Amino acid sequence: MFENLFGTKAEVESASATPRGVGGFRLGGAVVVDALLFKANAGAFGFEPPAGDQPIEALGTVDLGGGTMLYRWYVEDDAWYQVKATAGQVDEIKLFVYADTINPPTADAFRQWVEPTSDLGKPQLTFNGKAYQRVWGDGPTDAWAPPVAYDESVTHPPGDTADFTMTHYSMLYQREVEGLPGRFEYLFVSAEDYGPNSFDVVFSLGIDVTDADLSIT
């Protein structure tokens, strides 16, 4: 009876043996986010958070150098949690939800997304009728800024999808949420090169969260 309730002994031992990453997340685990902020401010945000227990299906790792890492925990319902950490200590956690994807058909079409004529890198982007201001980028705030390039290594639980590495060309934008001073909604845009002929441009919307907003198993 207890095996039916809690899984077989082997399953329980396997789950407990899965190491937790920075922030307490782990592959094969699950995470629930408190949706009270969204319920109390209906219509203020451009997205809805993932509902209920969300299995963690993959981990993306980005080495930013200087001891700073990004850990991206991808969950079942088109969402992901990004933990930024320095020397193993959590600096911030963001929740992102996929909002749109464009599929450039060729390498030339993809390259246009990372050149100065592209929307990616402009001082301001309008997405779903809302204006977002660029967060990253050196130089004049009213000029185009090149997207930030980096590699992400994605791993999955043993026996699941094959692991892979992709190159990002990314830019972060934000807007202050109406009626919530100091609370920002983020627009993260990333041109993703999977190589040799596989490309995506992904738009994600997100907010800052804390470990108090999350229940991780």
Side-chain angles (χ1 to χ4, degrees):
M1 182 178 72
F2 291 106
E3 288 184 349
N4 291 335
L5 287 174
F6 301 110
T8 66
K9 180 178 179 181
E11 288 171 340
V12 172
E13 289 177 347
S14 175
S16 63
T18 303
R20 290 186 180 271
V22 176
F25 296 83
R26 67 177 179 85
L27 282 176
V31 57
V32 179
V33 63
D34 187 347
L36 180 61
L37 177 66
F38 292 84
K39 293 176 181 177
N41 299 276
F45 296 92
F47 70 101
E48 292 292 332
D53 252 359
Q54 291 290 311
I56 299 171
E57 298 183 332
L59 165 62
T61 306
V62 179
D63 187 347
L64 296 178
T68 301
M69 301 288 296
L70 298 180
Y71 301 96
R72 293 173 171 172
W73 301 91
Y74 296 95
V75 300
E76 186 176 63
D77 284 352
D78 291 336
W80 48 287
Y81 293 85
Q82 177 174 279
V83 180
K84 181 182 177 185
T86 303
Q89 299 300 309
V90 175
D91 298 322
E92 63 178 30
I93 306 174
K94 286 180 167 63
L95 161 65
F96 285 100
V97 172
Y98 293 119
D100 194 15
T101 302
I102 296 172
N103 306 112
T106 65
D108 285 341
F110 176 79
R111 194 174 300 114
Q112 293 174 14
W113 279 93
V114 299
E115 295 178 341
T117 54
S118 169
D119 286 344
L120 181 54
K122 285 184 176 180
Q124 177 177 294
L125 279 186
T126 299
F127 184 78
N128 288 345
K130 299 183 184 297
Y132 298 80
Q133 307 301 317
R134 191 179 66 215
V135 176
W136 298 342
D138 298 324
T141 57
D142 60 348
W144 184 85
V148 178
Y150 55 91
D151 291 332
E152 177 181 0
S153 298
V154 180
T155 59
H156 301 81
D160 205 314
T161 308
D163 299 339
F164 60 89
T165 298
M166 59 179 162
T167 299
H168 289 266
Y169 302 88
S170 303
M171 188 57 70
L172 182 68
Y173 294 82
Q174 68 181 19
R175 70 176 181 91
E176 192 169 36
V177 180
E178 298 89 340
L180 294 173
R183 166 68 73 172
F184 291 91
E185 179 179 83
Y186 300 104
L187 171 64
F188 181 76
V189 188
S190 189
E192 301 175 351
D193 181 357
Y194 295 86
N197 297 300
S198 180
F199 313 100
D200 289 325
V201 180
V202 181
F203 296 76
S204 300
L205 293 173
I207 60 167
D208 292 301
V209 295
T210 69
D211 53 4
D213 300 314
L214 307 175
S215 177
I216 305 171
T217 57

